[in-house]
């Protein structure tokens, strides 16, 4: 009996599972599969359907979990169909996240060798807990001009940028290459670098000596967009709450006397408005002298300049016709009166206050200054 032949026949066959990333139909599968099959590997393709950039970036687990469940189901099917095989995995981009998630959650999954390319997993994943379920080292192909892992880590949660910067830790071999996100997904790379590793763990060193990404990627890495977005969201929430708590409520004034004529002097609305104009800004402790800034006005829905001078002759002006106006900023009432009754009021705004004065060319009727309503649309 040829014991060598018998031993060879009992040796487990080698199979490779390919896992794609987001927004792709995984065209790289075809040429990589052909190379692997020519080297004696049985290849299983996986497909968790088109995974959009929006689903990828949403900081919620729902869509990621669905993809992981679908991928694990297909891995189980592949392992069941080739029971005597040792299974290795080549995963790209979001596929690396799914494989690491499956390793974490599915305790009964065992893999021979793992190759990551364009990986978006965190460098802190606890690989030491899974060494009984895969054969170290994990081979991490780093492409130094790959911006996608950096974008994923900077924009949303749950991802890392080891596909651009490497793991730089035990149990992993970081191997550096020039190029972008899919630079290593080709037949030549598979033949030269992946086949030896998948066969017996041989790690052929890269000729690329530069391990630092370009300066623009390193600078962008410091711009944590997700934190800026979170801060902006908090600002918007704070602004909405401040407007709801501090912002002036809408009011309506009705200036009218029984005979259809009215004056500012005998109208309670005018006195109330003047009191409101001279109120203290509730944000004074925050904005100080800048309480009449654009931001303070936006939050409180009104201006905060007092009436510094109210000419006593204003009380004598007789306004003809009724006047109605809805407002949140009391000074707008006088502006609306000025529009409805032209050539009656002068509203002078200074850096610190408003001055209200009667117009010089105001009409005099029966010995009293009189204003006729000309603009009926306040």
């Amino acid at each position: 009996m040829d014991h060598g032949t018998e031993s060879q026949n009992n040796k487990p066959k080698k199979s490779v599972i390919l896992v794609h990333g987001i927004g792709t139909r995984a065209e790289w599968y075809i040429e990589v599969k052909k190379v692997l099959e020519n080297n004696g590997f049985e290849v299983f393709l996986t497909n968790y359907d088109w995974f959009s950039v929006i689903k990828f970036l949403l900081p919620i687990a729902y869509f990621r979990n669905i993809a992981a469940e679908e991928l694990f189901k297909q891995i189980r099917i592949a392992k069941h169909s080739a029971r005597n095989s040792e299974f290795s995995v080549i995963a790209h981009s979001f596929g690396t996240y799914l494989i690491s998630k499956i390793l974490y959650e599915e305790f009964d999954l065992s893999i021979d060798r793992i190759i990551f390319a364009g990986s978006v997993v965190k460098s802190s994943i606890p690989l030491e807990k899974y060494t009984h379920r895969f054969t170290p080292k994990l081979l991490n192909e780093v492409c130094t001009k790959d911006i996608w892992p950096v974008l994923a880590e900077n924009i949303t949660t749950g991802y890392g940028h080891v596909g651009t910067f490497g793991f730089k830790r035990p149990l992993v071999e970081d191997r550096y290459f020039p190029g972008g996100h899919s630079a290593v997904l080709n037949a030549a790379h598979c033949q030269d670098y992946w086949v030896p590793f998948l066969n017996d763990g041989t790690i052929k060193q890269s000729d690329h000596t530069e391990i630092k990404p370009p300066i623009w990627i390193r600078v962008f890495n410091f711009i944590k967009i997700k934190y800026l977005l979170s801060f902006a969201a908090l600002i918007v929430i704070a602004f909405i709450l401040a407007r709801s708590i501090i912002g002036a409520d809408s009011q309506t004034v009705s200036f009218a006397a029984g005979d259809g004529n009215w004056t500012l002097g005998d109208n309670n609305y005018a006195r109330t408005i003047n009191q409101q104009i001279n109120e203290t800004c509730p944000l004074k402790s925050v904005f100080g002298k800048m309480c009449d800034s654009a931001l303070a006005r936006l939050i409180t829905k009104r201006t905060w300049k007092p009436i510094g001078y109210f000419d006593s002759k204003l009380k004598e002006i007789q306004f003809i016709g009724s006047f109605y106006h809805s407002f949140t900023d009391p000074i707008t009432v006088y502006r609306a009166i000025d529009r409805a009754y032209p050539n009656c009021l002068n509203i002078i705004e200074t850096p610190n206050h408003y001055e209200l004065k009667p117009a010089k060319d105001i009409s005099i009727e029966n010995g009293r200054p009189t204003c006729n309503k000309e603009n009926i649309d306040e």
Side-chain angles (χ1 to χ4, degrees), residues 143-151 154 164-165 179-181 212-223:
C143 290
T144 55
K145 293 183 181 179
D146 188 356
I147 188 62
W148 282 102
V150 177
L151 280 172
N154 281 13
T164 307
F165 292 94
H181 194 50
K212 285 185 178 180
I215 183 66
W216 63 273
I217 290 183
R218 282 179 280 156
V219 170
F220 184 75
N221 183 52
F222 286 100
I223 305 173

Side-chain angles (χ1 to χ4, degrees), residues 320-348:
I320 309 300
S322 301
F323 173 82
Y324 303 92
H325 182 67
S326 296
F327 71 96
T328 54
D329 188 350
I331 195 64
T332 63
V333 176
Y334 289 113
R335 291 186 176 133
I337 292 174
D338 185 37
R339 291 195 301 272
Y341 298 89
N343 303 317
C344 287
L345 298 177
N346 284 332
I347 304 174
I348 304 170

Side-chain angles (χ1 to χ4, degrees), residues 13 52 57 64 85 172 215 225 300 338:
K13 292 188 293 186
S52 69
L57 293 178
R64 302 177 192 181
S85 286
V172 180
I215 183 66
I225 298 175
T300 60
D338 185 37

Side-chain angles (χ1 to χ4, degrees), residues 68-82:
E69 289 171 5
E70 177 61 27
L71 176 60
F72 186 49
K73 180 181 73 175
Q74 295 179 27
I75 291 174
R76 288 200 307 266
I77 293 172
K79 298 196 76 172
H80 180 76
S81 65

Side-chain angles (χ1 to χ4, degrees), residues 65-118:
N65 289 341
I66 291 177
E69 289 171 5
E70 177 61 27
L71 176 60
F72 186 49
K73 180 181 73 175
Q74 295 179 27
I75 291 174
R76 288 200 307 266
I77 293 172
K79 298 196 76 172
H80 180 76
S81 65
R83 294 174 180 266
N84 296 324
S85 286
E86 291 180 344
F87 277 83
S88 296
V89 168
I90 301 174
H92 178 240
S93 190
F94 182 58
T96 67
Y97 171 86
L98 296 179
I99 290 297
S100 65
K101 181 177 177 64
I102 291 171
L103 273 176
Y104 176 76
E105 296 178 350
E106 308 297 340
F107 66 91
D108 58 339
L109 174 67
S110 60
I111 300 174
D112 185 19
R113 304 193 187 279
I114 299 176
I115 298 174
F116 280 176

Side-chain angles (χ1 to χ4, degrees), residues 164-275:
T164 307
F165 292 94
F167 277 92
K168 297 182 175 70
R169 54 173 290 188
L171 304 178
V172 180
E173 180 73 21
D174 292 318
R175 190 163 57 183
Y176 295 83
F177 295 92
H181 194 50
S182 301
V184 299
L185 301 181
N186 57 74
H189 189 94
C190 179
Q191 182 64 56
D192 293 343
Y193 294 98
W194 291 347
V195 168
F197 177 73
L198 294 171
N199 266 324
D200 56 19
T202 298
I203 299 176
K204 179 182 176 181
Q205 295 304 313
S206 168
D207 296 329
H208 187 58
T209 57
E210 179 57 60
I211 67 172
K212 285 185 178 180
I215 183 66
W216 63 273
I217 290 183
R218 282 179 280 156
V219 170
F220 184 75
N221 183 52
F222 286 100
I223 305 173
K224 302 302 181 185
I225 298 175
K226 58 189 173 187
Y227 300 135
L228 295 178
L229 292 175
S230 298
F231 180 73
L234 289 175
I235 292 297
V236 170
I237 293 171
F239 171 75
I240 294 173
L241 289 175
R243 274 177 67 90
S244 64
I245 296 172
I246 302 175
D249 295 326
S250 178
Q251 303 177 57
T252 300
V253 293
S254 174
F255 290 174
D259 59 0
N261 304 333
W262 55 275
T263 67
L264 295 175
D266 62 9
N267 194 286
N268 289 329
Y269 284 117
R271 287 189 287 271
T272 301
I273 290 169
N274 291 341
Q275 291 174 359

